[in-house]
Amino acid sequence: MRLVVVGNGMAGSRLVSEVRARDPHLTITVFGAEEGHPYNRVLLSNVLAGKARAEQLRLHELSWYGANRVEAVSGSAVAWIDRETRAVHTTDGRREPYDLLVLATGSEAFVPRIPGVERAIPFRTLDDCDRILKAAEHSRRAVVVGGGLLGIEAARGLAGRGLPVTLLHLADHLMERQLDPEAGLVLGETLTGLGVDIRTGVVAEAVEEDGVRLAGGELADGDLVVLACGVRPLTGLAAEAGLEVRRGIVVDDEMRTDDPSIFAIGECAEHDGNVYGLVAPAWEQAAVAADVITGGKSRYRGSRLVTRLKASSVELAAMGETQLTDEHAEVVRFSHRAKGTYRKLVIRDGRLVGAILLGDSDAVGTLTQLFDRGGPVPGDRAGLLFPGLAAAPVAESPVLMPDAAKVCQCNNVTKGQIRACWEAGARNVAGVAAATRATTGCGTCRDAVEGIVGWLCEQEGISA
């Protein structure tokens, strides 16, 4: 059987590795529109901030494909799908037949239709990142348009390089999809203290040589303009092939489209009315599709989203229904604006349905587990927000975490799986990552993994 995958980004490359791990014989061809290695798009902000090099973002070395008998075609975009003969056709004239096809086309940066927008640089791909960094070397001030997750990471990264930055956002507070107004205000004040000038509730009307012209005539000064205005799913290929498309390519619980021989996963897919823009759902969908493709019976039931901001000196985690008020749920909150701290729990029917943790907090792990597993919330609400105040003694080591505790959200890795692979011989974080993929998504679980591995090694008197 011949499997063809369109898209070799974070969803497509994971699908290929998941399929190959289950079936060593299936013929696999994967097409990637970008040149070179597939890479971890989530960590682009680390490159922009100077915390990582481009080569550190690779998901697979090119040698992996040869070793695993996968044909990877880079820099070759698929132009159309012939469903009658079951073949894809590329822009450079190649025809590739398939028995099963997976669309992992991802999404593209949304670029507003305003005068002069061609002067700005979108922040979406590794090439975009390279262009921004080269431009920053000769710029006196940057303007970032968009105060969502990516825009904040871009603004903080550039500010960390010593470049003055103005961040423009249409909504009245930052990250309005994940945060309530007070959390957005505290986040803005934190970023201001780190050298980012925040302007919310403003409309960008034009990009000019010396900045961004706002509605009302004011100019946001800057000779480097970066766009982080959101993304939209790449669905044109599917729509032209006659597949059902709404916001994304519509799929069922097996990740199949309305053509049983065609699947869709990741940011281009719409499941049960939801289009997810985070890596963890894409990888969960890839695992389900790979299982179905190789004869399994897995089903995708949707994802519980945990958003982590990866910006130096800013700690933020948001999950679930953060916008609910006291009228609709039990809301527990603590705010200390002078310290950049905001913590909020949203509880309904005795279960944690949402949370915001802004500022350094040791409650993130516990609350993420409660949210992910849907378990009952303990009666001591203050103890959840401030674990050090809880009556129960704090565990002296990470090994005392329950085995079922999820350590890596992106890859669904539990503490028990980390312990098991340590016992099988993985004596450092690199070994655990190779065996479980923990730390290879957004990277925010690295400290927790290091703690577990370090404690286990200490008990045995060996070096991690």
Side-chain angles (χ1 to χ4, degrees), residues 62-102:
L62 294 181
S63 59
W64 182 91
Y65 294 98
N68 287 274
R69 293 180 296 104
V70 174
E71 183 183 7
V73 186
S74 299
S76 181
V78 172
W80 62 286
I81 302 167
D82 184 345
R83 290 171 57 191
E84 288 189 10
T85 64
R86 291 194 180 183
V88 300
H89 294 257
T90 67
T91 53
D92 52 6
R94 175 166 172 169
R95 178 184 182 275
E96 187 68 29
Y98 67 83
D99 295 301
L100 293 176
L101 175 65
V102 178

Coordinates of all heavy atoms in Angstrom, one line a residue, residues 62-102:
L62 N 18.0 14.4 7.6 CA 17.7 13.9 6.3 C 18.1 12.4 6.2 O 17.5 11.6 5.5 CB 18.5 14.6 5.2 CG 18.0 16.1 5.0 CD1 18.8 16.7 3.9 CD2 16.6 16.2 4.7
S63 N 19.1 12.0 7.0 CA 19.5 10.6 7.0 C 18.4 9.7 7.6 O 18.4 8.5 7.3 CB 20.8 10.4 7.8 OG 20.6 10.8 9.2
W64 N 17.5 10.2 8.4 CA 16.5 9.4 9.0 C 15.6 8.8 8.0 O 15.1 7.7 8.1 CB 15.7 10.3 10.0 CG 14.6 9.5 10.7 CD1 14.6 8.9 11.9 CD2 13.2 9.3 10.2 NE1 13.4 8.3 12.2 CE2 12.5 8.6 11.2 CE3 12.5 9.7 9.1 CZ2 11.2 8.2 11.0 CZ3 11.2 9.4 8.9 CH2 10.5 8.6 9.9
Y65 N 15.3 9.6 6.9 CA 14.4 9.2 5.9 C 15.0 8.0 5.1 O 14.2 7.0 4.9 CB 14.1 10.3 4.9 CG 13.3 11.4 5.6 CD1 13.9 12.6 6.1 CD2 11.9 11.3 5.8 CE1 13.2 13.6 6.7 CE2 11.2 12.3 6.4 CZ 11.9 13.4 6.9 OH 11.2 14.4 7.6
G66 N 16.2 8.1 4.8 CA 16.8 6.9 4.1 C 16.9 5.7 5.0 O 16.6 4.6 4.5
A67 N 17.2 5.9 6.2 CA 17.3 4.7 7.2 C 16.0 4.1 7.4 O 15.9 2.9 7.7 CB 17.9 5.2 8.5
N68 N 14.9 4.9 7.2 CA 13.6 4.3 7.5 C 12.7 4.1 6.2 O 11.5 3.9 6.3 CB 12.8 5.3 8.4 CG 13.3 5.2 9.9 OD1 12.9 4.3 10.6 ND2 14.3 6.1 10.2
R69 N 13.5 4.2 5.1 CA 12.8 4.0 3.8 C 11.6 4.8 3.5 O 10.5 4.4 3.2 CB 12.5 2.5 3.6 CG 13.7 1.6 3.5 CD 13.4 0.1 3.4 NE 12.7 -0.4 4.6 CZ 11.4 -0.6 4.6 NH1 10.6 -0.4 3.5 NH2 10.8 -1.1 5.7
V70 N 11.8 6.1 3.8 CA 10.7 7.1 3.5 C 11.3 8.1 2.5 O 12.4 8.6 2.6 CB 10.4 7.9 4.8 CG1 9.4 9.0 4.5 CG2 9.8 7.0 5.9
E71 N 10.5 8.3 1.4 CA 11.0 9.3 0.4 C 10.5 10.6 0.8 O 9.2 10.9 0.9 CB 10.4 8.9 -1.0 CG 10.9 9.9 -2.0 CD 10.4 9.6 -3.4 OE1 9.5 8.8 -3.6 OE2 10.8 10.3 -4.4
A72 N 11.4 11.6 1.1 CA 11.0 12.9 1.5 C 11.4 13.9 0.3 O 12.5 13.9 -0.1 CB 11.8 13.3 2.7
V73 N 10.4 14.6 -0.2 CA 10.6 15.5 -1.3 C 10.4 16.9 -0.8 O 9.3 17.4 -0.5 CB 9.6 15.2 -2.4 CG1 9.9 16.1 -3.7 CG2 9.6 13.7 -2.8
S74 N 11.6 17.6 -0.7 CA 11.5 19.0 -0.1 C 11.4 20.0 -1.2 O 11.9 19.8 -2.4 CB 12.8 19.3 0.7 OG 12.9 18.4 1.8
G75 N 10.8 21.2 -0.9 CA 10.7 22.3 -1.9 C 9.8 21.9 -3.0 O 10.0 22.5 -4.1
S76 N 8.9 21.0 -2.8 CA 8.0 20.6 -3.9 C 6.5 20.7 -3.4 O 6.1 19.8 -2.6 CB 8.3 19.2 -4.3 OG 7.5 18.7 -5.4
A77 N 5.8 21.7 -3.8 CA 4.4 21.8 -3.4 C 3.5 21.0 -4.3 O 3.7 20.9 -5.5 CB 4.0 23.3 -3.5
V78 N 2.5 20.4 -3.6 CA 1.5 19.7 -4.4 C 0.5 20.7 -4.9 O -0.1 21.5 -4.2 CB 0.8 18.6 -3.5 CG1 -0.4 18.0 -4.2 CG2 1.8 17.6 -3.1
A79 N 0.2 20.6 -6.2 CA -0.7 21.6 -6.9 C -2.1 21.2 -6.9 O -3.0 22.0 -6.8 CB -0.2 21.9 -8.3
W80 N -2.3 19.9 -7.1 CA -3.7 19.4 -7.2 C -3.8 17.9 -6.9 O -2.8 17.2 -7.0 CB -4.4 19.8 -8.5 CG -3.8 19.2 -9.8 CD1 -2.7 19.5 -10.4 CD2 -4.4 18.1 -10.6 NE1 -2.5 18.7 -11.5 CE2 -3.5 17.9 -11.7 CE3 -5.6 17.3 -10.5 CZ2 -3.8 16.9 -12.6 CZ3 -5.8 16.4 -11.4 CH2 -5.0 16.2 -12.5
I81 N -5.0 17.4 -6.6 CA -5.3 16.1 -6.2 C -6.3 15.5 -7.3 O -7.3 16.1 -7.5 CB -5.9 15.9 -4.8 CG1 -5.0 16.5 -3.8 CG2 -6.2 14.4 -4.5 CD1 -5.6 16.7 -2.4
D82 N -5.9 14.4 -7.9 CA -6.8 13.7 -8.8 C -7.4 12.5 -8.0 O -6.8 11.5 -7.9 CB -6.0 13.2 -10.0 CG -6.9 12.5 -11.1 OD1 -8.1 12.2 -10.7 OD2 -6.4 12.3 -12.2
R83 N -8.6 12.7 -7.5 CA -9.2 11.7 -6.7 C -9.7 10.5 -7.5 O -9.8 9.4 -7.0 CB -10.4 12.3 -5.9 CG -10.0 13.3 -4.8 CD -11.2 14.0 -4.3 NE -12.2 13.1 -3.7 CZ -13.4 13.5 -3.3 NH1 -13.8 14.8 -3.5 NH2 -14.3 12.6 -2.9
E84 N -10.0 10.7 -8.8 CA -10.4 9.6 -9.6 C -9.4 8.5 -9.8 O -9.6 7.3 -9.7 CB -10.9 10.1 -11.0 CG -12.2 10.9 -10.9 CD -12.8 11.2 -12.3 OE1 -12.2 10.6 -13.3 OE2 -13.8 11.9 -12.4
T85 N -8.1 9.0 -10.1 CA -7.0 8.0 -10.3 C -6.2 7.9 -9.0 O -5.2 7.1 -9.1 CB -6.1 8.5 -11.4 OG1 -5.5 9.8 -11.1 CG2 -6.9 8.7 -12.7
R86 N -6.5 8.6 -8.0 CA -5.8 8.6 -6.7 C -4.3 8.9 -6.9 O -3.4 8.1 -6.8 CB -5.9 7.2 -6.0 CG -7.3 7.0 -5.5 CD -7.4 5.8 -4.5 NE -8.7 5.6 -4.0 CZ -9.0 4.6 -3.1 NH1 -8.0 3.9 -2.6 NH2 -10.2 4.5 -2.6
A87 N -4.1 10.2 -7.3 CA -2.7 10.6 -7.5 C -2.7 12.1 -7.1 O -3.6 12.8 -7.2 CB -2.3 10.4 -8.9
V88 N -1.5 12.5 -6.7 CA -1.2 14.0 -6.5 C -0.3 14.5 -7.5 O 0.6 13.7 -8.0 CB -0.7 14.3 -5.0 CG1 -1.7 13.8 -4.0 CG2 0.7 13.6 -4.8
H89 N -0.4 15.7 -7.9 CA 0.5 16.3 -8.9 C 1.2 17.6 -8.3 O 0.5 18.4 -7.7 CB -0.4 16.8 -10.1 CG -1.0 15.6 -10.9 ND1 -0.5 15.1 -12.0 CD2 -2.0 14.8 -10.6 CE1 -1.2 14.1 -12.5 NE2 -2.2 13.9 -11.6
T90 N 2.5 17.7 -8.5 CA 3.2 18.8 -7.9 C 3.4 19.9 -8.9 O 3.2 19.7 -10.1 CB 4.6 18.3 -7.4 OG1 5.4 17.9 -8.6 CG2 4.5 17.1 -6.5
T91 N 3.8 21.1 -8.4 CA 4.0 22.2 -9.2 C 5.2 22.0 -10.2 O 5.2 22.7 -11.2 CB 4.3 23.5 -8.4 OG1 5.4 23.2 -7.5 CG2 3.1 23.9 -7.6
D92 N 6.1 21.1 -9.9 CA 7.2 20.8 -10.8 C 7.0 19.6 -11.7 O 7.9 19.1 -12.3 CB 8.5 20.7 -10.1 CG 8.4 19.7 -8.9 OD1 7.4 19.0 -8.8 OD2 9.4 19.6 -8.2
G93 N 5.7 19.2 -11.8 CA 5.3 18.2 -12.8 C 5.3 16.8 -12.4 O 5.1 15.9 -13.2
R94 N 5.6 16.5 -11.1 CA 5.6 15.1 -10.7 C 4.2 14.6 -10.4 O 3.4 15.3 -9.9 CB 6.5 15.0 -9.4 CG 6.5 13.6 -8.8 CD 7.6 13.4 -7.8 NE 7.5 12.1 -7.1 CZ 8.4 11.7 -6.3 NH1 9.5 12.3 -6.1 NH2 8.2 10.5 -5.6
R95 N 3.9 13.3 -10.8 CA 2.7 12.7 -10.4 C 3.0 11.5 -9.5 O 3.9 10.7 -9.8 CB 2.0 12.1 -11.7 CG 0.7 11.3 -11.4 CD 0.1 10.7 -12.7 NE -1.1 10.1 -12.4 CZ -1.2 8.8 -12.0 NH1 -0.1 8.1 -11.8 NH2 -2.4 8.2 -11.8
E96 N 2.3 11.5 -8.3 CA 2.6 10.4 -7.3 C 1.3 9.8 -7.0 O 0.4 10.4 -6.4 CB 3.2 11.0 -6.1 CG 3.7 10.0 -5.1 CD 4.8 9.2 -5.5 OE1 5.7 9.7 -6.3 OE2 5.0 8.0 -5.1
P97 N 1.1 8.5 -7.3 CA -0.1 7.8 -7.0 C -0.2 7.4 -5.5 O 0.9 7.3 -4.8 CB 0.0 6.5 -7.8 CG 1.4 6.3 -8.0 CD 2.1 7.6 -8.1
Y98 N -1.4 7.3 -5.0 CA -1.6 6.9 -3.6 C -2.7 5.9 -3.4 O -3.6 5.9 -4.2 CB -1.8 8.2 -2.7 CG -3.2 8.8 -3.0 CD1 -4.3 8.4 -2.4 CD2 -3.2 9.9 -3.9 CE1 -5.6 9.0 -2.7 CE2 -4.4 10.6 -4.1 CZ -5.6 10.1 -3.5 OH -6.8 10.7 -3.8
D99 N -2.6 5.1 -2.3 CA -3.8 4.4 -1.9 C -4.5 5.1 -0.7 O -5.7 5.2 -0.6 CB -3.3 3.0 -1.4 CG -2.8 2.1 -2.5 OD1 -3.5 1.9 -3.5 OD2 -1.6 1.7 -2.5
L100 N -3.6 5.7 0.1 CA -4.1 6.6 1.2 C -3.3 7.9 1.2 O -2.1 7.9 0.9 CB -3.9 5.9 2.6 CG -4.8 4.7 2.9 CD1 -4.4 4.1 4.2 CD2 -6.3 5.0 2.8
L101 N -4.0 9.0 1.4 CA -3.4 10.3 1.3 C -3.7 11.1 2.6 O -4.8 11.0 3.1 CB -4.0 11.1 0.2 CG -3.6 12.6 0.0 CD1 -2.2 12.7 -0.3 CD2 -4.5 13.2 -1.1
V102 N -2.7 11.7 3.2 CA -2.9 12.5 4.4 C -2.5 14.0 4.1 O -1.4 14.2 3.6 CB -2.0 12.0 5.5 CG1 -2.1 12.9 6.8 CG2 -2.3 10.6 5.9

